[in-house]
Structure formats: C-alpha cells, structure tokens
C-alpha cells in the first residue's frame, strides 16, 4: 500500500477511524513482509546459493502484478482526469472530506472519460512492457523522475507553501527551497544521463 492508494482505500472503509486505518496499514505491510520472507527463506533453504528463477517465483510475480496494477491505475486515472479536465472549478477540501472519484472539483468521472483514460493507461503500459525487455531501464527512469519528485521536490515545495507566512519558520523555508532545488537538479541530471544511456547503450548502466 503506497501513499497514493491510501486515500481511495480510506474513502471505501465503512468505519474509517484512525484505529481502523492503523489496523489496515499494519495488516497490509505485515502480510506483504511475511509473504516475501516466507518465499525468500524457503527458497534458500531448499536450493541454497543455486536459487534462480523458477515457476513459483514467476507465479508470485504474476500475482503481485495482478493485484498491484489496479491499485496503480486507479490514482493514475484520477490524476490524469484532474490534469486534463482543466475546466472544472476547484473547491477547497476540508479535513475529513472524501477525495476519491469525485476529486477536488466535485465532479465524478463520466463513464466515457473513465473508459478512455483506462484504455489509454493500459495501452501505454502494455506498449512499454512489450517493447522494453530490460527492467533496469524502466526503474532508472521511474527513479530519476517519480522518486526524486516525491522524495525531494514535492516535500520542499509543499512545506514552503504551507509555512510561507510563518515568521518562525524562515530558516526551514530556506531549507525547503534548497531541498526542492536539489531535487530538481538531481532529476534533470539523472534523467538526462538515462536518456544518454538509451541513445548510447555501450557506456555504463543507467542512473537511478
């Protein structure tokens, strides 16, 4: 369960109290950790250092993708809808207000737009999966863009936005701007390096 999927899950829970959400988060993390541990430990206990790709491992990957892909498509579709549906009038969201398929605009995604966005996401991801046979290339681009944005750029910008009028946080505001600037530098550098590696594949591996 990632931060993007948490809010739709929160909206779907009938009793979405803090205690209930803590149980859901703990259960998700615990069950996932236990599953990975069991597969890894029994694999090495059975085959030792000769562990390689096997039918059970491939089946586990299929199950992982089967259940995680819809969780990724759901927030991706909502975000694309908000970006493309620029004519909607945004409203301020109060604490405790549900933010799901209605979004901050208060409009539910129409069936036609829902289907088109879903087909577009599925078609684009299938095309990438079909054409790209080296996973490290995909991970390098995801790491240089998404991970850098989430880890460095957005925290700095959001903190600056929320505390810019707080006189006691001037030092932290400068640090937040520096963090966002550093993230932008890392994003540009790593993304440019990854593109260079794709164009000239004979040099060292992609930057993550």
């Amino acid at each position: 369960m990632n931060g993007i999927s948490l809010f739709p899950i929160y909206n779907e829970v009938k009793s979405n109290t803090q205690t209930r959400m803590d149980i859901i988060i703990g259960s998700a993390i615990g069950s996932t950790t236990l599953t990975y541990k069991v597969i890894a430990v029994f694999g090495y206990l059975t085959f030792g250092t000769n562990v390689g790709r096997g039918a059970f491992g491939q089946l586990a990957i299929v199950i992982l993708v089967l259940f995680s892909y819809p969780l990724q498509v759901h927030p991706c579709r909502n975000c694309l809808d908000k970006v493309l549906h620029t004519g909607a009038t945004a409203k301020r969201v109060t604490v405790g207000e549900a933010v799901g398929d209605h979004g901050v605009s208060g409009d539910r995604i129409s069936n036609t737009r829902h289907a088109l966005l879903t087909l577009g996401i599925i078609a684009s991801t299938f095309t990438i999966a079909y054409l790209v046979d080296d996973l490290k290339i995909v991970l390098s681009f995801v790491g240089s863009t998404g991970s850098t944005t989430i880890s460095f750029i957005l925290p700095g910008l959001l903190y600056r936005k929320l505390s810019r009028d707080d006189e006691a946080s001037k030092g932290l505001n400068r640090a937040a701007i520096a963090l966002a600037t550093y993230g932008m530098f890392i994003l540009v550098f790593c993304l440019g390096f990854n593109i260079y590696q794709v164009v000239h594949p004979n040099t060292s591996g992609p930057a993550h």
Side-chain angles (χ1 to χ4, degrees):
M1 179 186 301
N2 55 42
I4 297 177
S5 303
L6 182 60
F7 293 107
I9 294 174
Y10 175 84
N11 292 334
E12 295 295 332
V13 177
K14 183 177 181 180
S15 177
N16 51 9
T17 61
Q18 182 65 52
T19 303
R20 180 65 174 168
M21 292 305 299
D22 290 341
I23 294 175
I24 293 174
I25 295 172
S27 300
I29 296 176
S31 60
T32 303
T33 303
L34 179 62
T35 302
Y36 277 108
K37 291 293 183 182
V38 169
I39 294 174
V41 170
F42 279 93
Y44 276 102
L45 289 178
T46 304
F47 302 104
T49 57
N50 295 322
V51 173
R53 291 181 295 179
F56 185 76
Q58 294 175 350
L59 177 62
I61 294 296
V62 170
I63 295 175
L64 172 65
V65 174
L66 179 66
F67 286 97
S68 63
Y69 186 80
L71 292 177
Q72 302 299 326
V73 171
H74 180 70
C76 180
R77 180 177 55 236
N78 288 339
C79 292
L80 286 177
D81 177 66
K82 300 305 174 291
V83 172
L84 299 176
H85 194 211
T86 55
T89 303
K91 67 175 183 178
R92 184 177 297 275
V93 179
T94 59
V95 176
E97 183 178 355
V99 182
D101 285 338
H102 296 283
V104 296
S105 65
D107 296 328
R108 180 179 293 276
I109 301 177
S110 65
N111 292 334
T112 302
R113 198 161 70 243
H114 183 281
L116 291 176
L117 289 175
T118 304
L119 288 175
I121 295 172
I122 294 176
S124 60
T125 53
F126 176 80
T127 302
I128 294 174
Y130 182 79
L131 296 177
V132 178
D133 57 358
D134 190 356
L135 187 59
K136 69 180 181 180
I137 296 178
V138 178
L139 294 178
S140 65
F141 277 94
V142 172
S144 61
T145 55
S147 298
T148 305
T149 302
I150 295 174
S151 301
F152 297 103
I153 299 176
L154 285 182
L157 294 179
L158 292 176
Y159 184 87
R160 176 69 177 86
K161 178 69 174 180
L162 294 174
S163 61
R164 61 182 178 180
D165 297 328
D166 188 359
E167 294 295 332
S169 302
K170 287 185 176 181
L172 292 177
N173 284 334
R174 296 190 185 96
I177 296 175
L179 178 65
T181 304
Y182 172 76
M184 293 176 186
F185 171 77
I186 294 297
L187 187 150
V188 172
F189 175 80
C190 292
L191 183 60
F193 185 77
N194 288 329
I195 295 175
Y196 179 81
Q197 295 299 326
V198 173
V199 177
H200 304 84
N202 294 328
T203 56
S204 58
H208 297 281

